[in-house]
Amino acid sequence: MNKSIRPERVGSLLREEIGIYFQRNFSISEYGIITVTDVVMSADLKIAKVYVSIYGEEEKKQRVLAKLESQIPIIRGMIGRSVRLRYTPEIEFFLDETLDRVMKIENIFNEIHKQKANFDDKEIE
């Protein structure tokens, strides 16, 4: 089990750098809250899969994701200047919808809880 931790370290560094880039270049009022939730590096460090969480409706998420993808050359240039790597990795953005799924599940549990409370109230009568 001799798995290198270098891809994890590089991914963590890229997550931080890309997050800073978003803070500086994407206004919350125009694009909403954009969070880099994870960066998964290929073993050879040539591909970075960047997972982002975007707060808002689906249409807004798709619009912001398209904007992020248009910024890939600029982001790669920034990474090439700030992070010392043999190769600047190719970047791929993916929507991380974990928070959306958690909120949906929480809403389902809340609804079940309300229905159970209503049922219990009717049994008491």
Side-chain angles (χ1 to χ4, degrees):
M1 195 164 178
N2 191 10
K3 183 181 174 189
S4 173
I5 61 168
R6 186 142 197 254
E8 291 176 22
R9 286 184 178 169
V10 171
S12 178
L13 183 58
L14 293 186
R15 185 178 74 224
E16 186 176 320
E17 291 292 325
I18 294 170
I20 291 169
Y21 177 83
F22 289 167
Q23 286 178 338
R24 291 182 180 158
N25 297 286
F26 289 85
S27 71
I28 291 176
S29 61
E30 185 176 355
Y31 296 102
I33 298 172
I34 306 169
T35 306
V36 180
T37 58
D38 198 10
V39 176
V40 178
M41 298 298 300
S42 62
D44 61 3
L45 304 178
K46 291 187 178 182
I47 299 173
K49 293 182 178 181
V50 181
Y51 293 87
V52 294
S53 176
I54 302 168
Y55 184 75
E57 299 298 320
E58 191 60 34
E59 178 185 327
K60 182 176 188 175
K61 289 179 184 181
Q62 294 306 320
R63 182 174 53 82
V64 172
L65 187 61
K67 177 69 174 174
L68 296 180
E69 289 172 349
S70 75
Q71 297 283 308
I72 287 174
I74 296 167
I75 294 169
R76 285 190 73 221
M78 179 267 310
I79 289 169
R81 288 185 299 278
S82 63
V83 180
R84 290 181 43 138
L85 294 171
R86 184 171 290 151
Y87 302 102
T88 302
E90 293 293 325
I91 296 173
E92 301 171 0
F93 284 110
F94 297 91
L95 272 178
D96 182 348
E97 297 178 337
T98 303
L99 184 59
D100 292 337
R101 287 193 297 270
V102 167
M103 289 176 65
K104 285 179 185 175
I105 291 169
E106 187 173 306
N107 288 338
I108 290 170
F109 282 135
N110 287 338
E111 187 61 32
I112 290 170
H113 182 72
K114 285 179 190 175
Q115 289 176 1
K116 183 180 181 320
N118 288 340
F119 181 76
D120 289 345
D121 287 346
K122 288 180 182 177
E123 272 190 352
I124 293 173
E125 294 174 359

